């Protein structure tokens, strides 16, 4: 019998413990992966959507990807988005991540991935805030000081973004939270008291966003609802995490930075609608990798909008990092007989 690879399972409890002490490491993995993606050292095909006739707002998404480099790995994230879950106090998203050996294709690990997905999203957003805020008046090196942080949408993603802002040493003068569910907004307001001086629940979108130095959009909106151009101002950094909040006309007057242009310009995102509206891509400034390598300097005479579609390569890279930590610490459930005899004959 030919020796088969071991198969590891990482539970949500293990993932939570690893992420709780690994904010800087996750940001570093995301930064490095963006650079690799910019150098075309990754494979990131289109996501695949499973939809349901009787559940029109629900979907399960498959994100296959591969990261090469010194420790190549491939895999797939399988993430369900069921917005109606929140009515019964269930999280909207649940996910698993399957990692494969790059050389043989054999699966090597299954990881609980809703936390990985939230962490890589938050790390991406906070990294973008850092890079896109540099050089602003009053900003410190790395841009880790802001006026008002406005957060629209008070769910798990927003909570994780605030956690990463705190862990990366950010400090804001104030924090305004707006959500259609006031109780959720109140909970999010109280998550990170050290992040901002004054913190309040904004009664309206306008109250939260107008005049804010940084804006986080983290809702489940399916179509744009922000149409008022006066809410945006030059140099304002908008983290368009949920992708469908901003009217396409607003993007045409902004400096638009993406994680990946081709991926963002699809699936009826705000950037996709802007492309359809104009018939072109002149509104696209470039990618975050372009900012990192110095080929793109954000136009601070416009609002700066970062639109991350959410690349599968980030999940794969963060999953690989967490698997290595878990194996080194003996924190995985190892299944040595997961595979049958792997010999062909």
């Amino acid at each position: 019998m030919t020796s088969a690879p071991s198969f590891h399972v990482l539970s949500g409890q293990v993932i939570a413990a690893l992420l709780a002490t690994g904010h800087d490491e996750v940001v570093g993995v995301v930064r490095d992966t963006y650079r690799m993606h910019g150098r075309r050292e990754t494979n990131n095909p289109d996501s695949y959507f499973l939809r349901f006739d009787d559940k029109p707002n629900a979907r399960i998404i498959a994100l296959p990807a591969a990261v090469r480099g010194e420790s190549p790995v491939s895999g797939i994230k399988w993430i369900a988005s069921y917005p109606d879950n929140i009515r019964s106090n269930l999280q909207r998203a649940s996910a698993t991540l399957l990692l494969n050996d790059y050389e043989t294709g054999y699966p090597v690990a299954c990881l609980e991935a809703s936390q990985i997905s939230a962490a890589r999203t938050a790390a991406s957003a906070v990294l973008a805030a850092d890079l896109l805020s540099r050089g602003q008046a009053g900003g410190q090196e790395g841009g880790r000081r802001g006026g008002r942080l406005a957060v629209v949408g008070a769910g798990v993603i927003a909570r994780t973004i605030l956690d990463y802002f705190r862990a990366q040493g950010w400090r804001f003068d104030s924090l305004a939270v707006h959500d259609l569910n006031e109780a959720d907004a109140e909970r999010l307001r109280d998550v990170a008291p050290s992040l901002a001086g004054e913190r309040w629940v904004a009664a309206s979108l306008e109250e939260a966003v107008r005049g804010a130095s940084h804006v986080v959009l983290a809702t489940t909106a399916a179509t744009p609802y922000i149409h008022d151009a006066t809410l945006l101002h030059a140099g304002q950094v908008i983290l368009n995490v949920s992708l469908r909040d901003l009217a396409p006309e607003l993007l045409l007057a902004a400096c638009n930075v993406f994680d990946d242009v081709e991926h963002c310009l699809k699936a009826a995102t705000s950037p996709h609608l802007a492309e359809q509206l104009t018939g072109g891509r002149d509104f696209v400034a470039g990618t975050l990798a372009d900012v990192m390598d110095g080929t793109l300097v954000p136009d601070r005479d416009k609002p700066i909008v970062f639109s991350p579609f959410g690349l599968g390569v980030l999940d794969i890279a963060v999953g690989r990092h967490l698997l290595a930590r878990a194996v080194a610490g003996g924190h995985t459930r190892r299944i040595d007989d997961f595979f049958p005899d792997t010999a062909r004959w």
Side-chain angles (χ1 to χ4, degrees):
M1 179 173 176
T2 302
S3 176
S6 296
F7 187 79
H8 298 269
V9 176
L10 275 69
S11 69
Q13 184 177 10
V14 169
I15 297 295
L18 294 171
L19 289 175
T21 59
H23 296 82
D24 290 346
E25 294 175 354
V26 171
V27 172
V29 170
V30 168
R31 180 189 296 112
D32 292 344
T33 305
Y34 273 144
R35 288 189 171 123
M36 292 179 65
H37 189 64
R39 297 193 301 263
R40 302 184 183 278
E41 297 174 4
T42 62
N43 296 65
N44 201 104
D46 288 344
S47 303
Y48 299 91
F49 290 73
L50 175 62
R51 300 185 183 276
F52 311 92
D53 293 340
D54 59 338
K55 298 177 180 291
N57 66 342
R59 62 188 187 274
I60 307 181
I61 312 169
L63 289 83
V67 180
R68 299 192 288 276
E70 293 183 3
S71 301
V73 65
S74 57
I76 189 167
K77 180 175 74 171
W78 182 239
I79 180 166
S81 175
Y82 279 56
D84 290 345
N85 282 356
I86 63 176
R87 297 175 182 174
S88 53
N89 198 32
L90 281 175
Q91 293 187 16
R92 173 187 59 84
S94 59
T96 54
L97 178 68
L98 192 66
L99 296 180
N100 297 72
D101 178 76
Y102 193 78
E103 295 302 321
T104 67
Y106 272 88
V108 294
C110 180
L111 298 79
E112 193 286 320
S114 66
Q115 298 172 95
I116 294 173
S117 189
R120 63 85 153 150
T121 300
S124 168
V126 173
L127 174 64
D130 183 4
L131 294 167
L132 300 177
S133 300
R134 295 183 181 185
Q136 290 193 20
Q140 300 174 346
E141 175 61 24
R144 296 183 181 178
R145 178 82 195 187
R148 186 201 317 150
L149 173 62
V151 181
V152 181
V156 171
I157 295 298
R159 185 177 72 203
T160 310
I161 290 173
L162 292 190
D163 185 39
Y164 270 76
F165 268 126
R166 177 199 55 77
Q168 288 287 287
W170 280 78
R171 177 73 180 176
F172 294 92
D173 296 334
S174 60
L175 167 67
V177 180
H178 176 68
D179 192 280
L180 296 178
N181 185 321
E182 186 175 352
D184 285 348
E186 290 173 348
R187 294 185 187 98
L188 186 66
R189 173 199 60 194
D190 298 333
V191 161
S194 63
L195 184 61
E198 182 183 7
R199 295 171 290 125
W200 79 94
V201 172
S204 67
L205 172 74
E206 292 75 13
E207 178 187 340
V209 174
R210 182 174 282 116
S213 63
H214 296 75
V215 178
V216 173
L217 301 176
T219 73
T220 58
T223 56
Y225 60 90
I226 301 177
H227 299 272
D228 186 355
T230 67
L231 296 181
L232 312 186
H233 63 262
Q236 185 181 43
V237 174
I238 302 168
L239 305 174
N240 185 28
V241 175
S242 42
L243 285 177
R244 294 173 178 85
D245 304 66
L246 296 166
E249 293 84 359
L250 299 185
L251 295 188
L252 301 182
C255 173
N256 292 285
V257 181
F258 302 97
D259 56 357
D260 182 284
V261 175
E262 294 298 330
H263 283 77
C264 283
L265 297 180
K266 61 184 60 173
T269 64
S270 295
H272 187 202
L273 297 178
E275 180 186 35
Q276 293 176 329
L277 182 65
T278 62
R281 299 183 175 185
D282 290 344
F283 66 95
V284 177
T287 67
L288 200 63
D290 296 331
V291 176
M292 283 190 275
D293 68 20
T295 59
L296 170 62
V297 178
D299 185 351
R300 305 195 186 282
D301 292 330
K302 299 178 179 180
I304 304 170
V305 179
F306 176 57
S307 296
F309 192 79
L311 300 178
V313 291
L314 299 182
D315 298 285
I316 299 300
V318 173
R320 174 183 63 185
H321 167 72
L322 295 177
L323 175 62
R325 282 188 58 192
V327 170
H331 301 307
T332 73
R333 296 176 185 172
R334 176 171 163 170
I335 306 174
D336 290 326
D337 59 352
F338 183 82
F339 298 100
D341 183 359
T342 56
R344 290 189 65 225
W345 300 103

